[in-house]
């Protein structure tokens, strides 16, 4: 079963752009050989990192958005762990994120409905109390 994944990795700044392209090409070819579909390839280039990784302050950032089987992602992660030129990588399954966000929005909507009902019932109680107090005041003035 195929799912959508976003695979991001950072390559050491010591390598040339040709080597970065070779690493990217090896990852994309693995995906296409496994009958996966690459939706987007986003190469950010050399950027400064937020914190040093292995004494490197910069790295080449690459992101691949693909629809592929989960077993292929496991092999890609294994390969990236073995590559010395890859400093860090992350794989996000986008389907799960959407499901979780949909569950959260449904839960928040339910909470909002409950709050609104309780606020409406409170306002009705206040109105009825105010009405009964005004009746008592009018009764007292008549006597």
């Amino acid at each position: 079963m195929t799912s959508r994944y976003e695979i991001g990795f950072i390559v050491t700044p010591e390598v040339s752009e040709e080597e970065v392209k070779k690493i990217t090409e090896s990852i994309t070819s693995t995906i296409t050989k496994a009958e996966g579909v690459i939706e987007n390839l986003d190469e950010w280039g050399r950027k400064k990192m937020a914190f040093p990784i292995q004494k490197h302050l910069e790295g080449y950032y690459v992101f691949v958005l693909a629809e592929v089987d989960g077993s292929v992602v496991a092999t890609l992660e294994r390969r990236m762990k073995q590559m010395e030129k890859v400093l860090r990588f992350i794989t996000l399954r986008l389907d799960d994120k959407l499901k979780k966000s949909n569950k959260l929005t449904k839960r928040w909507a339910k909470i909002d409905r409950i709050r609104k009902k309780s606020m409406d019932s409170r306002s009705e109680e206040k109105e009825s109390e105010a009405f009964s107090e005004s009746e008592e005041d009018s009764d007292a003035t008549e006597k």
Side-chain angles (χ1 to χ4, degrees):
M1 185 175 107
T2 62
S3 297
R4 290 182 66 210
Y5 292 93
E6 183 172 13
I7 304 163
F9 57 94
I10 304 172
V11 182
T12 63
E14 299 165 349
V15 300
S16 65
E17 288 189 30
E18 293 174 3
E19 290 181 74
V20 174
K21 288 187 180 186
K22 285 181 184 178
I23 293 170
T24 306
E25 200 172 288
S26 70
I27 290 171
T28 55
S29 66
T30 304
I31 292 170
T32 53
K33 284 180 185 175
E35 298 177 5
V37 178
I38 296 173
E39 296 176 12
N40 190 13
L41 177 64
D42 194 13
E43 296 181 31
W44 286 8
R46 190 175 180 153
K47 298 284 182 188
K48 185 176 179 181
M49 293 188 273
F51 54 89
I53 301 174
Q54 298 176 4
K55 298 183 181 180
H56 295 290
L57 298 175
E58 293 182 338
Y60 287 98
Y61 285 73
V62 180
F63 294 93
V64 179
L65 185 66
E67 190 168 327
V68 70
D69 191 28
S71 61
V72 176
V73 172
T75 58
L76 283 173
E77 287 180 347
R78 200 175 320 112
R79 280 190 186 172
M80 284 191 278
K81 280 182 188 176
Q82 294 172 348
M83 292 180 188
E84 293 179 8
K85 296 174 184 173
V86 175
L87 294 174
R88 290 278 164 94
F89 66 90
I90 188 168
T91 305
L92 300 173
R93 184 173 170 187
L94 298 177
D95 298 339
D96 286 346
K97 296 279 183 189
L98 293 175
K99 287 180 186 177
K100 287 180 184 177
S101 67
N102 287 339
K103 286 181 183 179
L104 285 175
T105 53
K106 287 179 183 178
R107 183 179 295 163
W108 292 334
K110 184 178 179 181
I111 291 170
D112 286 342
R113 283 194 304 268
I114 292 170
R115 283 184 185 160
K116 189 175 181 180
K117 284 181 183 179
S118 66
M119 294 297 282
D120 290 343
S121 65
R122 287 181 190 164
S123 63
E124 287 175 10
E125 288 175 8
K126 287 180 182 179
E127 288 175 6
S128 64
E129 287 176 10
F131 181 72
S132 64
E133 287 177 5
S134 64
E135 281 185 2
E136 289 174 6
D137 291 342
S138 65
D139 290 341
T141 54
E142 288 178 9
K143 293 182 182 178

